[in-house]
Amino acid sequence: MAGKTINRGKIFVVDFGGQTAHLITRRLKDLGVDSSLIDPDESFRVCSRKKPQGIIFSGGPASVYEIGAPTIDKKIFNLGIPILGICYGWQLMAHLLGGEVESADKEYGPTILTVLKFDSLFYGLPTYTKVIESHGDSVRKMPRGFSSVAKTETVKYAAVENVGDKLFGVQFHPEAHHSEHGSEMLANFATRICNLSLHPQKLNVEEMVSEIKEKVGNKKVIGAFSGGTDSAVAAALVAKAIGKNFIPFFVDSGLMREETIDRIKNKFPKILGVPVEIISARDLFLARLKGVVDPEEKRKKIGALYIELFERELKKHKDAKYLLQGTTYADFIHSQGSKRSAYIKSHHNVGGLPKKMKFKLLEPLRYFYTDQVREIGVKIGLPRDAIYQQPFPGPGHAVRIVGEVTKERLAKQVQADGIVVEEMRKSGWYKKVFQCWSVMTGTNSTGVKGDGRFYGEVVAVRIVNSKDRMSAEIARVPFPILEKIAARIVNEVPNVSRVVYDITSKPPATMEWE
Ligand code: XMP
């Protein structure tokens, strides 16, 4: 599997619960530096025993003054190992070393960093660079021995250093994809500060296939197959590992894009070399969603029904022992992936699964991000249109309809979403963006059609770019395309009064409205 031990020194990442703590290790591994997460309570013991070349304190949702906020044994600063604190990690470092932290100067999303000093962290980088910040607190007074090496408009100590003690801090997130030169900053920390050399590793698909073979043996695996990239890649890996012992199903909930079901019926059996069973359950899903308005309840109900249907199928295959899920690391972390991370939303293939299950989960992609999953897909020989399709959430249109999912609103959403996709395809923009879709907002506004006023639903169009789903920015799609989409939706979809374009980045917004 990717990130095999490199044995040329290591950086430990202390996990204070940040959404992107794992992403730091991922970035380091991509650069070719061996790295793993460790718990704050264990950190001093582990670091004094294993002597890594560097330590990174991750961000986290807590505030340093909060009761029960995660902290670290101060003796870690005496080990002489270079330490980089990121966001909460830097605030904690400042707090423990006599600085002061305050809850002000809030910054969420992209901001411009002005670099003041170009050796160490910012070696070879431009003066102005876009970085992602996501924090409430910031450091008001630096501890003794520190100096500021970069600032933003509102944060004076956006990056700091104490070269003598090999301590460094940044208020922003260099690991976030949309931090323009973030990987270079981490590479600078690894090479210039920790004296490590970089040895990038390749993803090893053969090894992943043999791991599955070894784990599953001659048992059967039922496949949670949605037709999306993640589940297609997971399915291809398992099909390659165990052939006909793999039983993929597709649950037709009516909440997926229509093109998906076509692909499942007509393409995938050939690609995988095994038949895909279709379970028709459109009415059943609508019945279960009746009266449900809370997004989390929607996800849980949908997840539970999926499992119920799978369990029903399982009875036909009594010897099946595993349930395959295409869960990726972003799904996992969004459903509280690490001990200290904050709860955002339960993606249905993680948080929504019932507690008691008759079969074990098989999740070969659990520690991979979308771009890596695609790379695995290419290596395993899946066709490009299966690999480079846009991701579609497991609960599908249900989390794109704010409020109750009724047959009528679902039909409107399917139609509006179809228009977005069609126009994006026609203009050549579909391939240029990460995801595009419509949202039934549940808000009404006044419109005029013919000679009469009417009061109808507001549809939002959301088109975003993202590499790893942890951060995203809006796609700057030309206005004529957006205008065409808006005109078609208000004219063709019944009872829609207006269309708005969502121009919020992630963070602070999430990509989906629910
Ligand atoms: P958010 O809204 O969390 O979305 O910023 C990040 C990515 O995850 C997708 N998403 C989901 N995928 N089950 C899924 O399988 C879900 O419940 C779910 N909610 C969001 C979303 O489409 C985006 O790609």
Side-chain angles (χ1 to χ4, degrees), residues 299 331 334 344-349 391-395 399-400 434-435 469 506 509-512 514:
R299 283 189 169 81
D331 301 329
H334 274 85
I344 307 288
K345 53 177 95 164
S346 65
H347 285 197
H348 95 265
N349 45 2
F392 196 73
V399 289
R400 294 174 170 183
F434 187 74
Q435 271 175 301
R469 298 198 277 168
K506 168 184 179 172
T510 56
M511 283 151 86
E512 302 291 345
E514 290 214 313

Side-chain angles (χ1 to χ4, degrees), residues 252-281:
D252 184 9
S253 62
L255 302 171
M256 297 291 118
R257 283 183 167 151
E258 292 299 327
E259 60 184 34
T260 306
I261 177 125
D262 282 354
R263 199 181 302 123
I264 303 266
K265 278 188 177 161
N266 303 322
K267 274 196 173 173
F268 277 109
K270 279 184 218 131
I271 297 169
L272 301 178
V274 287
V276 180
E277 200 168 317
I278 311 284
I279 305 169
S280 305

